[in-house]
Amino acid sequence: MRVSSLGFQTDLMVQRLEGSQVEDHGDHLVVRSPQEPGYWWGNAVVLSDEPAARIGRDWESVFRQHHPEAQHRAFGVDGVAGDSLGCEELVRQGCELELSDVMTATSVREPPRPHPSAVCRPLDLTDPRDVDAALAVRLVNGPRPLPAGYEEFLVRRMDTMRALQLAGHGRWFGAFLGGEMRSGLGLVTDGSGVARYRSVDTRPDSRGQGLAGTLVHHAAAYGFDVLHARMLVIVADPEDVAISVYRSVGFATVEKQVRLQRAPS
């Protein structure tokens, strides 16, 4: 199956670098992450961008066949226009449909309100202090109440990012105020000239201060200059205020990405 969506191309790029397996079944792809069974989007099914190939299939049964132990559901729908035709039954079965903007930049500019005193730098994830700082930002931005095992899941995610750092495939970045990390994000590439942002988070009590824009801009410079990327990709919720931050430094929407997911009961 040829993947047309830049969003899913970069999703799969990152997942392969992380050690996930991607199987081609003609009208769908299966992503498996046996090392992380609780990682929903590392254990998913990506449907073809051809509506005719999606309509009439029992995708719930397809997912169970490929992921018999999974309690969650995670479906990507390939394409660039946000077309979810053929997925109506999944919605009726309780999957939540998410429509995201896939944004790109081949150059960036400073945000209109850069934080004047933020210290932005790549973290060293072999240093437990940097790992703890990154985890603290992600935890405070997690769902409330925190699901059982969520902290352990984030620890495993950071372990995976450390391996990517050591292999030269990316870095995690932090924006610090007074020595405390207030905002964080990841940037990953396979060396093909495309780099993908991951998990842009800012502590709730530090939002609206220009930290995210300052850090996104800093990471972009690293991506171009050190990772030798020619294009940066970020996927954003069109209803979230963060999308205006990405636009302010030069990102523009180029396509829509469709995903459906259902949490475990």
Side-chain angles (χ1 to χ4, degrees), residues 138 223 261:
R138 297 210 64 190
Q261 65 179 6

Side-chain angles (χ1 to χ4, degrees), residues 160-199:
T160 299
M161 190 65 213
R162 179 172 62 250
L164 294 182
Q165 171 192 315
L166 293 172
H169 289 304
R171 298 296 295 264
W172 205 264
F173 297 82
F176 292 78
L177 293 178
E180 183 180 16
M181 186 168 160
R182 311 301 294 179
S183 186
L185 59 84
L187 189 64
V188 178
T189 183
D190 62 355
S192 64
V194 178
R196 172 69 184 268
Y197 279 83
R198 308 293 285 175
S199 303

